[in-house]
Structure formats: C-alpha cells, structure tokens
Amino acid sequence: MSDVAEPSRPAAAARFDELHDLDGTVRPHWRAFARTLTQLSPEEYARRKASARATVQDNGVTYNVYDDKAGQARPWQLDIVPFILSAADWKAIESAVIQRAMLADLILRDVYGAQNLIRQGVLPPQLVTGHPQFLRPLCGTRPAGDVHVHLYSADLARGPDGAWKVMASRADAPSGLGYALENRLVVAQTFPESFGEMRVARLAAFFNAYRESILGLGQSRRDRAVLLTPGPYNEAYFEHVYLAHYLGLTLVQGDDLAVRDGEVFLKTLTGLEKVAAIFRRVDSDFCDPLEFRGDSALGVPGLVEAVRSGGVVLANALGGGVIESPAMDAYLPAVSRALLGEDLKIPDIATIWCGTEWGRKEALARMDQSILRNAFDARPLFSRRSSARLGGDLAGAERERILAQLRHRGETMVLQEVSPLGVAPTFEDGKFGARPVSLRVFAAWTPTGWMVMPGGLTRVAADDTVRALSMQSGASSKDAWVISNAPVDTFTLLGAGGRTLEIKRQGESAPSRAMDNLFWLGRYAERTESFVRILRAVASRVSDEPASALDVARKLLIPFSQASDSPIEEILDEHELLGELQLLLYHPRNSRGLQRLLGRVEQTAWSVRDRLSLDTWRTIHAITVNEQLPDAEAPFEVAGTRFYLDALVRRCAALSGLSAENMTRGPNWLFMDMGRRVERAHHLAWLVRQTVASTDARENEHIRILLEIADSAMTYRSRYLNVFQLVPFVDLLLLDENNPRSCAFQLAAIESHLRELPRITLAQRSDVPRTIAAEMRGAAANAHPARLAFCQSGERPGLVELTDGIVSSATELSDAIADAYFQHASRSRTGSGQYLDGV
C-alpha cells in the first residue's frame, strides 16, 4: 500500500494517467514528489508558484504567440509540477529516439544524394520531390562530416494503453531546447529538496556534447561560432538569446553575416571575422535568398555556396524539412527496415497517405472517425493555421471540398488516427488534477554516437477539450524529470572545468547590427525620458495653472501633436488640452504618442536582449509595461497621470544609472551612451530654441519650467537662488560642460566616445563623425551667453544660430556614425531626420 495520500483518480478512462496505476495507486516514481506536494500548506505552495512566475517574468522568458493580445512579450507559461519519468520508461524512450535520429540523418543523406529509397520503391517520389521543403539546389551537396542532423526532436505522447507514440518530429531547425533548460532552472529552484533527493538526471552534459560536436567539425576552433536567429519577431527569440548565452555563441541575424570566396564572415566594428560554425534557428528555405526564397530577408546570400565549398559548418544542415511532413510517417516503418534493418521501436500515430488508390478508399471509409490534413503540413495538429480537420466535424460545402480534394488530389492529403493524449498531474487548491500532455525529446549527434537529453519540453493543454498541444495555441509547459538509478552527473557549463582562465579586459568584437541597436536604444530611451518630462510639466499645471499648461503645451508638444483632430497650436482651452493629453499618453496606436515610443524602446531592447544585464532588462520591462493603463477614450485624471509619469521618470533614471554604473566601458556601453548623448544634445538645443528664441512676457516662467524639464532647477538655484534671468539660464543649459544635463556636456562626451572607437575601415578612417563632433563642441565653446541672449527685433539671432546648428549637426552626426560603423544594417529607423519628424 502506498504511503502517499491518494488523490481521486480522473474519471476519463480513455486517457493514460501518468500519476496513477490501474488500481488507482500512485505510481512508484511519483510517490516521493506527490508526498512533497501533499505536505505543503496551501500558502507555501502558492508562495512557490508565485516565486516561479516572478522568476519567469523577471528573466524576460517569453514566447511570442502570433495574434495574442499580449503581443510580442507574452510571458512563458510554466506549470511548476514536473512531468516525472521512471528510469525504465526513459530507457525505452532514449533507445527509440536515437533510432529515429539516426534514421532522419540517413534519409536526408539519401534524398539529397543517391535517392535509393525512391529507386527501390520504398518512398513514393511525390513525398520527396513534391514536398515544398525539398530544396533541389542541395542535391549532391555533402555537409561537413556528412552529418545532416545535429539536433533532432520527437514529440511523444501516450496512447490509451500507455504505449508511447510519436506525434511529430523535427530535423530542420528544432525548437524548445532553451525553454526546456529554463524550465529546469526554475523548477529545480522551486523544489530544491525533491530535485536533489530524487536523483533527477542533469542536462549540462548534453548541451556540452551538442556544442562540442559541432565545433569539432569546423576548420578551426579559433574562428567564431554563431547562433543564427530570425530576429526578435520570431516566436522563440528568447530561446535563441538564452541558448547563445549558455553555449557561449554570438547571436546573429542574417544581415550580420557575409559570404566571401566560399567562406562566411561576421561583420563587426573592426571588420570581417571568419565564422567556423553556425547553429541555425532559421528555416532552411529562408537561409539563402540567392538559392531558395528570393523574398527572404532572414538569410545570408551565398550561404549554400559556402556549404558546398566546405567553408562553414551548418547545424542542422539545410533541407531537413522534407522529412517532417505527416505523409512521411506512413512510410517510416518501411524506411526503417530498409535503412536500419529493424522495426521502429516507437511507432508514429497511424497515418495513411491518400496518394494511392488504396489510401483514398481507406480515407473515404474512415474519415468520420479520423483526422484529415495536408500531406506536407508539419504544424502541430489543430494549432493555428493547421490544415487538420476532424472528419466527423466536416459538413456542407467544406465536406464536399475535402471529398473533391481526396478524389482528384489525394497525394496532397493524409488520414491520421484520433488518439487521446495521456494526462499528467497538475496541483491546485491542495488537490491533484490532470491535463493532456506531450513530451518533446531532443537528441544530439556526437562523433561517438547519438546522445539524448535526459528530460525534455513537456507541453500541457489548458483543459481536456483542447485539441492542439502547441505553444502557439496557448499551451503551457512543464519541466521533465528523468529519475536516474545511478548517481547523477554534476558536470556544469557554468564553471571553468578545472581550467585556469586567461585574463581578458574585453570581449570579442561586437557585431555592427547589435551596436546599431544599442545606439538607438540609447536614443529612444532618452527621447522617452524627455517626452515624459514635458508631459509631466504640462499635466502638473493643468489644474492650478491652466494658462501656463496651455502655453507649455503649444511650445513643447509640437513634435507630438495631432493626436486628435486639431494641431496642438490650435488648442484653445483646458478641455481640449486634456483630451489631447489623454490621447498622447495612453492611446496605443497613436504614432506620435507615448505608448508607441515605449514600444520602440522595448522592440529595440528586445533586439539586443543578449547584451543587456538582467537588471537592465527588468528596468526596461518596468518602463514599457502597459498593463492597467486607463482607456484612451476615458476622461483625463490628473492625479493618476502624475503618479504614472513620476514612476516613468524614476524608471528612466534607473535605466540611465544602470547603464552608467553597471556596463563595462566597451562597445556596448559606448554606443548606447553615445546614442543617449546625441539625443539629449539634439533635444536640449531644440527645447531652448522653442522656449526663448523670441522675447515673451512670460519668459521667466518659461525658464523655470524648462529648468524643471531639463532636471537642472536645483543646480540653477544653488548658483542664482530664485532669480531667473536669460544669460545664466542659457549658460547652464547650453554651454556649461560641468552640468551633465547641458548641451556642452553631451558634446564633450560624444567627442570622448568617438576617440575610443576603432578606425580600421576606410569609412572609419575618414573621421567624418569626429569632425562633426569637434565642430559642434567648438561652436558651443566659442559662444558667449550674453551674445546668445542678445535680442534684435524681438528675436535672438545668436541663440537661433547655435541651437539650429546643434540640431542639424546632431542629425548629421547620427548619420555619419551609422555610415562609419553600421553601414551594413538595412533596417530603417524612425527619428534619423529632423526632430519634428522624429517621433
């Protein structure tokens, strides 16, 4: 009899229950953990669950679900109760996954080589040559070491009888490895006692073998190894950032790489650096626009030629998508016997290809109890944009259309069995529940044979009615614990492995694109803070000083105007101003509003997530989070708005402080800080011109407000008390190099930063950025505050000339820096022109 308090067994007998035996008792490998859960108080379990959720959010773990209302930064959904596998179960899974990984590699070697499987009638030619992912330019191409598959994954699920079945497999660019690792780190911290006592197999040795095996195929270990990502809009971008960091790889996008004479190079600030290995996370057909999809902006032109010439190791090799189709499942048993001389150790879900007369007859006879789908659709069953349909659900015109397709184009369809997924335990309110699950298992090629990661990515359905088990369809995840009969391996990738490390004062040369994004992160962050300070100055005066608020708004909100139907200059009263402020502050789709600007900060930061510390990322997330904001159409609420803007100012200051105090003085910091300085100089010069370029009866009031916006009021009062005059004001904000908020301070910092940058390429040696910066600083240094304040016919020509010169030169400087250091970057930027068009 079990010594664990027995939860009630789920009533659904049609599904295999991972927690319970047939007699309702807890399975042996679950007992220790079930005991731990039932002994936790509800408060302690809730605390651990909340801690895990906070860790996921703080670490920025996201999965970008397309069309999801949470948008680009949907938090990763993690159930803290792990999926536990016995040593016996795992032994069977491991053997079967190794068999399938070997088989996948042999199939690809054949279909892009001799094509004996087609010649011998084992595979119908339509399944290969008719597959959209069969890439003909690769025929006859042998990848490095003749290894096509370096990383393989299989999605497994239990049938009603408890037997495992393969639901899908991935051999092109398998995903989920990084999420499985993150799940492990979070859940192991959530239940540290159980994790240690239960002998859970560790993952680090697998990741090390995966990395070292690929690097070992390269021509030189001294050359770069990179992880190629589609970029921040990809659903698994967090995983790419995480894996690159964990494996010690440089994260790159397609436009970071260039092919020269059959070799691949990384574009860095100091020139081209040879790349020996590419860990690929871009689908094959997007990888080379010269050979495959001409509309792809994700790949590297000439990459296939580099592979042909042996100039780079690509892992996985290109073309693996051809074996991921469901139609291939119908023929895998025969292929396994032909290539390996053995039956599959774990079968696929029963699949019939409708490209034969027998297949079409079977499909017509069984369709009401089966699933119909496109023969080449590798998406998870019933996930978004999946072609899968339950035959019993078809009716009317849709049923007639499917029947016509079966009769006339049966080779494009398959029939698959309906197999209820096994359920794994969940735990809520002190009780066990159950949800359908599938397990993604990973295998890595090594020179000594295949190695399976002891665990995997477990996906959990939201409820029993969900047909799709994919993260794109909103499933959550679990960690997978494999119980070991032997002492666990304590190897870690986070240590030095007993080696004495060589002292380094700087890292590897930085990719130009990353520096471009950091430069613009600095600009957008500073632009956000400036805008917030202006909005706060207006909002704080709306109630008590409406005339002053209107005056400030008309002068300083011009770049952000036209949120409503009327330009800001035409707003006549407080009521219209409040409506304009509400739209500027809270409307998510206002192209000139605060939320759109915050979105640019988040988007740019997300692009360089691998170069930002965890604290920096958390601060950016705190700045850009838009939860619980009032509706843009709601009445303007002064107190709530001031609280929101005050919080934003503090968070922007925290980000500035983190970059100033926590970033090492390398390229990352140089470009981010230089972007901030360029933006601040540009903005300050524009603010001063807008405020005091012309005489005004309210000039002293304008000076006081602008000192507040520029965060220089205390400095001014410490020098001049409360006597507001134009000459000391102009000197403090434009000319004083000791004031970190002045134009002169920014120009001095820019000139200093430019001296630290490399001068290797012809564009860099031309010294255009340095020349512009020196001229800007010289103009400020030679200016006299009294001359700038001199008034002629109601205008101040000296001040206008200096401020206009700084504004235009700042734009020229930004472009010159891009030409010298980011010239390969193809992405256009909002804000590279004049300030009035820059938001």
Side-chain angles (χ1 to χ4, degrees):
M1 180 177 290
S2 168
D3 57 354
V4 178
E6 300 294 344
S8 60
R9 187 163 177 252
R15 298 183 186 272
F16 181 84
D17 184 1
E18 292 286 345
L19 181 62
H20 298 91
D21 281 321
L22 293 177
D23 61 2
T25 60
V26 174
R27 298 182 189 274
H29 59 285
W30 270 99
R31 288 174 185 166
F33 191 79
R35 185 186 308 113
T36 297
L37 286 182
T38 54
Q39 290 174 352
L40 291 177
S41 67
E43 295 77 16
E44 174 61 14
Y45 181 79
R47 185 195 66 78
R48 296 193 185 197
K49 185 176 180 180
S51 177
R53 184 183 299 112
T55 300
V56 167
Q57 292 178 345
D58 287 346
N59 291 350
V61 188
T62 58
Y63 188 86
N64 302 338
V65 177
Y66 304 129
D67 302 326
D68 186 87
K69 65 179 181 180
Q72 189 174 332
R74 179 182 186 266
W76 181 247
Q77 303 299 310
L78 173 62
D79 180 356
I80 60 173
V81 177
F83 181 73
I84 302 177
L85 292 159
S86 68
D89 262 340
W90 182 250
K91 184 177 180 180
I93 289 172
E94 183 179 39
S95 175
V97 171
I98 288 175
Q99 180 195 49
R100 282 179 170 269
M102 292 172 56
L103 191 59
D105 191 73
L106 291 173
I107 294 173
L108 289 173
R109 194 179 302 178
D110 179 78
V111 299
Y112 288 111
Q115 296 190 342
N116 288 323
L117 291 172
I118 294 175
R119 297 177 193 278
Q120 296 167 7
V122 180
L123 272 181
Q126 298 98 315
L127 296 191
V128 176
T129 59
H131 197 302
Q133 292 297 312
F134 177 65
L135 306 178
R136 286 172 174 78
L138 298 175
C139 289
T141 300
R142 294 185 62 182
D146 208 17
V147 180
H148 286 261
V149 181
H150 303 83
L151 181 67
Y152 171 86
S153 73
D155 293 343
L156 308 178
R158 300 258 203 189
D161 60 354
W164 291 100
K165 293 186 179 182
V166 175
M167 310 297 290
S169 61
R170 297 289 181 263
D172 188 46
S175 64
L177 200 59
Y179 289 110
L181 178 60
E182 175 67 14
N183 285 355
R184 169 58 54 87
L185 295 178
V186 174
V187 175
Q189 292 171 3
T190 305
F191 298 105
E193 308 90 350
S194 298
F195 185 75
E197 294 169 359
M198 292 175 63
R199 285 186 173 179
V200 179
R202 307 301 200 262
L203 308 181
F206 170 84
F207 283 93
N208 184 63
Y210 170 54
R211 179 188 66 184
E212 293 301 310
S213 299
I214 295 170
L215 297 183
L217 293 172
Q219 297 177 356
S220 172
R221 295 294 291 259
R222 293 190 299 272
D223 295 330
R224 284 288 189 105
V226 303
L227 190 147
L228 178 61
T229 173
Y233 291 106
N234 182 261
E235 67 270 19
Y237 182 68
F238 166 82
E239 173 180 73
H240 306 160
V241 173
Y242 193 69
L243 276 179
H245 176 75
Y246 186 69
L247 298 176
L249 308 173
T250 302
L251 185 69
V252 300
Q253 296 180 32
D255 56 9
D256 289 325
L257 303 177
V259 177
R260 301 286 188 273
D261 299 324
E263 294 182 329
V264 179
F265 294 89
L266 174 65
K267 302 169 183 175
T268 74
L269 295 176
T270 56
L272 299 178
E273 291 192 11
K274 190 167 184 278
V275 173
I278 300 175
F279 291 67
R280 179 173 63 83
R281 292 298 182 271
V282 176
D283 290 344
S284 288
D285 57 334
F286 286 91
C287 278
D288 188 342
L290 297 182
E291 299 277 0
F292 308 136
R293 293 185 55 152
D295 61 343
S296 172
L298 306 178
V300 185
L303 185 59
V304 171
E305 185 56 37
V307 171
R308 290 191 188 112
S309 63
V312 69
V313 177
L314 208 55
N316 288 350
L318 297 169
V322 71
I323 64 170
E324 295 180 353
S325 66
M328 187 68 70
D329 298 343
Y331 290 88
L332 275 185
V335 172
S336 180
R337 289 189 290 270
L339 295 180
L340 300 177
E342 57 190 34
D343 291 327
L344 293 174
K345 295 179 180 180
I346 292 181
D348 295 277
I349 56 173
T351 303
I352 296 174
W353 181 52
C354 302
T356 65
E357 187 64 30
W358 175 83
R360 286 187 287 274
K361 287 182 178 179
E362 289 295 307
L364 290 170
R366 303 185 191 184
M367 66 179 294
D368 287 340
Q369 295 80 39
S370 303
I371 299 167
L372 287 161
R373 64 190 301 199
N374 186 284
F376 304 122
D377 180 11
R379 299 180 186 92
L381 283 170
F382 303 110
S383 63
R384 299 186 184 198
R385 295 185 293 276
S386 168
S387 62
R389 298 290 184 272
L390 274 175
D393 290 349
L394 297 174
E398 185 180 20
R399 185 180 182 88
E400 291 302 317
R401 180 180 61 80
I402 294 294
L403 289 172
Q405 186 176 348
L406 267 175
R407 296 188 184 98
H408 304 296
R409 299 181 59 231
E411 68 278 2
T412 64
M413 300 189 69
V414 294
L415 185 88
Q416 293 185 310
E417 69 171 342
V418 176
S419 181
L421 303 179
V423 294
T426 58
F427 193 72
E428 292 291 342
D429 301 323
K431 298 179 181 178
F432 281 94
R435 292 286 182 269
V437 297
S438 68
L439 174 66
R440 176 165 291 185
V441 183
F442 299 91
W445 173 88
T446 75
T448 58
W450 287 86
M451 183 176 184
V452 180
M453 187 177 81
L457 179 66
T458 307
R459 291 175 290 184
V460 189
D463 54 58
D464 286 340
T465 65
V466 173
R467 293 173 176 174
L469 262 182
S470 72
M471 306 314 294
Q472 276 293 326
S473 298
S476 59
S477 67
K478 287 176 176 281
D479 187 18
W481 287 9
V482 173
I483 306 303
S484 174
N485 289 329
V488 296
D489 186 358
T490 57
F491 173 81
T492 176
L493 274 175
L494 302 179
R499 295 181 291 110
T500 300
L501 295 178
E502 178 185 350
I503 298 297
K504 294 182 179 181
R505 295 291 170 84
Q506 59 184 11
E508 295 176 317
S509 297
S512 302
R513 177 195 50 81
M515 298 304 100
D516 179 21
N517 283 322
L518 282 167
F519 179 80
W520 277 94
L521 177 57
R523 290 202 66 173
Y524 284 142
E526 180 63 27
R527 190 175 298 179
T528 297
E529 182 178 348
S530 301
F531 188 21
V532 169
R533 287 180 178 275
I534 294 172
L535 288 169
R536 186 173 66 169
V538 176
S540 64
R541 289 167 172 80
V542 165
S543 299
D544 301 331
E545 306 172 61
S548 178
L550 276 169
D551 203 25
V552 174
R554 289 172 184 148
K555 284 181 176 290
L556 301 185
L557 287 180
I558 289 175
F560 317 99
S561 66
Q562 298 179 39
S564 59
D565 295 333
S566 302
I568 199 80
E569 306 99 302
E570 298 178 8
I571 289 180
L572 300 176
D573 56 32
E574 179 186 351
H575 177 73
E576 289 186 17
L577 178 60
L578 292 179
E580 183 79 13
L581 286 175
Q582 185 78 0
L583 293 173
L584 282 174
L585 277 160
Y586 302 121
H587 200 294
R589 290 182 296 278
N590 173 19
S591 63
R592 295 171 178 260
L594 177 61
Q595 299 308 315
R596 184 64 65 89
L597 185 54
L598 291 173
R600 291 189 187 126
V601 173
E602 182 180 39
Q603 176 185 333
T604 310
W606 191 235
S607 299
V608 287
R609 177 69 179 84
D610 59 315
R611 296 183 173 271
L612 301 176
S613 71
L614 185 57
D615 284 337
T616 301
W617 174 254
R618 289 171 176 172
T619 304
I620 290 172
H621 177 70
I623 293 171
T624 59
V625 66
N626 57 6
E627 297 175 0
Q628 299 179 339
L629 291 180
D631 189 275
E633 305 299 328
F636 185 80
E637 203 274 306
V638 175
T641 295
R642 289 189 62 177
F643 181 83
Y644 175 56
L645 293 174
D646 283 343
L648 280 181
V649 169
R650 291 194 299 271
R651 291 164 185 168
C652 288
L655 177 60
S656 179
L658 282 169
S659 63
E661 296 298 326
N662 291 16
M663 293 181 75
T664 55
R665 291 328 192 230
N668 291 346
W669 175 79
L670 276 173
F671 280 102
M672 185 170 171
D673 195 66
M674 190 156 48
R676 182 182 290 277
R677 302 299 171 191
V678 169
E679 185 70 25
R680 186 175 292 176
H682 187 288
H683 183 65
L684 269 171
W686 184 85
L687 280 177
V688 172
R689 189 195 191 288
Q690 283 292 106
T691 308
V692 296
S694 303
T695 57
D696 192 302
R698 300 172 59 88
E699 187 167 273
N700 283 353
E701 177 65 14
H702 295 161
I703 289 173
R704 186 171 65 85
I705 293 172
L706 194 52
L707 286 169
E708 174 191 319
I709 292 170
D711 199 21
S712 296
M714 182 176 291
T715 303
Y716 186 92
R717 289 192 179 98
S718 70
R719 297 179 184 179
Y720 310 110
L721 300 179
N722 278 328
V723 180
F724 296 103
Q725 293 182 3
L726 185 63
V727 173
F729 164 77
V730 168
D731 179 71
L732 182 63
L733 287 195
L734 293 182
L735 309 181
D736 185 358
E737 289 193 2
N738 294 316
N739 177 18
R741 287 283 175 173
S742 74
C743 273
F745 184 94
Q746 316 314 315
L747 301 179
I750 291 167
E751 199 171 26
S752 174
H753 291 350
L754 288 171
R755 285 196 294 269
E756 298 296 321
L757 295 180
R759 298 174 68 247
I760 295 174
T761 67
L762 183 62
Q764 293 165 4
R765 292 197 300 271
S766 69
D767 279 341
V768 174
R770 293 191 189 189
T771 301
I772 296 173
E775 291 175 352
M776 293 170 70
R777 189 180 183 190
N782 293 328
H784 191 282
R787 291 175 185 168
L788 297 180
F790 173 73
C791 182
Q792 182 178 352
S793 302
E795 302 292 331
R796 296 189 170 95
L799 187 141
V800 170
E801 181 182 2
L802 177 63
T803 53
D804 282 354
I806 291 174
V807 168
S808 61
S809 294
T811 300
E812 292 175 14
L813 177 61
S814 181
D815 292 341
I817 292 170
D819 289 341
Y821 296 99
F822 320 138
Q823 55 186 322
H824 75 279
S826 59
R827 294 173 180 78
S828 61
R829 296 288 183 182
T830 302
S832 59
Q834 294 294 327
Y835 189 78
L836 294 183
D837 300 322
V839 179

